[in-house]
Amino acid sequence: MEITRSFFALLLVLSCVIAIPNAIAQTESDKKTYTIGTYLLNVGKIDLQNGAYDLDFYIWIKSDDANFIETKPKIEFMNGKATVEPITVEKNYYEARVKGIFQKNMDFRNYPFEKILLTVEIEGTEDMKSFEFVPDLEESGVDDLVNIPGWNLQSTNSDVTIHKYSDDSEYSRYVFSLEMERFPLSSFLKTMLPVIIITTIAMLAFWMSPTNFTARIGLGASTLLAAVAAHLNAANQLPPIGYLTLFDKIMIIAYALFLNNLLSMVIQMRLIDHKREEEAVKVNAKMRKAIPVICVLIFLALFLV
């Protein structure tokens, strides 16, 4: 009797060992695989204030595990809204043209020389247990006629990530991304150069006679207003952000130089009012020599600390 029980127990263990791999294999075989690709046709308006951009592209899906004639691919655009116009629908192949507005958080720390990343993020409606994407790296890309005014397209990439939600469910997510940067020379000429010229003009006051109050103060005040206007104009192109951009740091250095300039004028005016012109000339020379020191100290504080 004991031998019989042992025999049946052994059979039960063996059946479990055999059944587990079969169950796993069955689960894997039931898992759908979509090979997905994207071909960009056009980039429309890029709204930096809202982190939004218009895209026009083709998308296709290949799968031996689906019948697209009976059921369209169950996918969602996770970072935007789009209209989908089917072009080719076959049993194992689905192609459509997509036009929509997408959104992405952008990093402006290096403004006006920043790089931005535009993405299209697509996710299936089924979790990783039954569905996954595979990127079509060979055919995905960008049309040669794509032109993005003010931006230089650096690279494109197609990738698949796993997105995990708060309930621990995992979904396959396809991400098509475009990395772009501003044209450096154009950005410098339009943004940095005016501020450099304005600040240089303001510093010319140090080479004017300390007794020429009206001209010096007029020069300092007018150039300061011009610098503030340039700063505000640049800031209005960006969304409200909680960090300093490269341009903000340059402007802080410029404001420090303006402060040094105006403070020097006030001290010299008081000295001249008390008939101490020689001391006023010395103060002017010392404050002028402080210009590079101020630039270096603030640069170190902003960029290296």
Side-chain angles (χ1 to χ4, degrees):
M1 187 68 178
E2 188 67 30
I3 296 175
T4 304
R5 290 180 180 176
S6 300
F7 177 73
F8 280 112
L10 180 60
L11 287 178
L12 180 61
V13 171
L14 290 174
S15 62
C16 291
V17 170
I18 295 172
I20 290 174
N22 289 336
I24 295 174
Q26 181 67 28
T27 302
E28 291 294 330
S29 65
D30 292 340
K31 192 172 186 178
K32 298 178 184 177
T33 300
Y34 281 7
T35 300
I36 183 171
T38 306
Y39 189 80
L40 183 68
L41 297 175
N42 185 40
V43 178
K45 179 182 178 182
I46 300 177
D47 184 358
L48 299 180
Q49 284 277 356
N50 299 308
Y53 43 93
D54 299 340
L55 295 180
D56 181 5
F57 56 92
Y58 288 120
I59 183 175
W60 60 88
I61 298 174
K62 307 172 187 176
S63 177
D64 294 330
D65 305 321
N67 186 343
F68 296 128
I69 297 176
E70 296 180 356
T71 306
K72 292 182 180 180
K74 296 180 180 180
I75 58 175
E76 295 179 315
F77 294 95
M78 306 307 295
N79 66 323
K81 295 182 179 180
T83 58
V84 180
E85 181 183 349
I87 296 176
T88 304
V89 180
E90 299 175 357
K91 181 179 179 181
N92 303 122
Y93 182 81
Y94 178 88
E95 182 177 351
R97 184 166 181 173
V98 179
K99 297 180 181 179
I101 301 175
F102 300 86
Q103 289 186 311
K104 179 72 175 178
N105 291 330
M106 301 178 183
D107 188 352
F108 297 104
R109 285 181 173 83
N110 290 325
Y111 175 83
F113 305 112
E114 79 276 22
K115 293 182 179 181
I116 62 173
L117 194 67
L118 309 185
T119 65
V120 176
E121 301 181 19
I122 302 173
E123 197 171 283
T125 57
E126 300 176 75
D127 61 20
M128 285 288 295
K129 296 178 181 178
S130 55
F131 174 88
E132 68 176 349
F133 282 122
V134 175
D136 189 345
L137 301 177
E138 293 184 2
E139 298 185 24
S140 296
V142 178
D143 192 83
D144 293 336
L145 297 179
V146 170
N147 180 36
I148 311 169
W151 297 91
N152 182 28
L153 180 61
Q154 292 289 296
S155 63
T156 62
N157 185 51
S158 295
D159 194 16
V160 172
T161 63
I162 298 175
H163 186 79
K164 189 173 183 179
Y165 288 92
S166 57
D167 60 355
D168 292 332
S169 60
E170 296 180 340
Y171 287 77
S172 181
R173 178 173 292 192
Y174 169 74
V175 181
F176 178 73
S177 58
L178 305 105
E179 185 180 55
M180 305 187 305
E181 69 173 357
R182 295 181 189 268
F183 292 101
L185 180 59
S186 175
S187 296
F188 175 79
L189 294 177
K190 293 179 180 179
T191 309
M192 293 292 196
L193 185 60
V195 173
I196 293 174
I197 293 175
I198 291 169
T199 307
T200 302
I201 292 173
M203 296 305 104
L204 293 178
F206 283 109
W207 281 267
M208 298 172 65
S209 172
T211 58
N212 198 352
F213 298 144
T214 304
R216 294 188 68 181
I217 292 178
L219 180 63
S222 61
T223 50
L224 176 59
L225 291 175
V228 171
H231 192 188
L232 291 176
N233 180 61
N236 287 335
Q237 299 179 30
L238 305 179
I241 49 181
Y243 51 83
L244 294 176
T245 66
L246 173 63
F247 187 66
D248 290 331
K249 294 176 181 180
I250 297 298
M251 288 306 304
I252 289 175
I253 296 175
Y255 291 144
L257 295 178
F258 278 106
L259 178 61
N260 176 62
N261 186 20
L262 294 174
L263 182 61
S264 171
M265 292 180 191
V266 172
I267 295 174
Q268 292 172 60
M269 287 174 61
R270 291 183 61 85
L271 290 173
I272 291 176
D273 286 342
H274 291 82
K275 309 299 182 182
R276 298 159 63 183
E277 295 184 5
E278 291 185 2
E279 292 184 33
V281 172
K282 292 180 180 179
V283 168
N284 184 70
K286 289 180 180 179
M287 300 293 264
R288 182 174 66 237
K289 293 177 181 178
I291 292 176
V293 177
I294 293 172
C295 292
V296 171
L297 290 178
I298 297 181
F299 177 86
L300 293 175
L302 292 175
F303 290 91
L304 300 181
V305 176

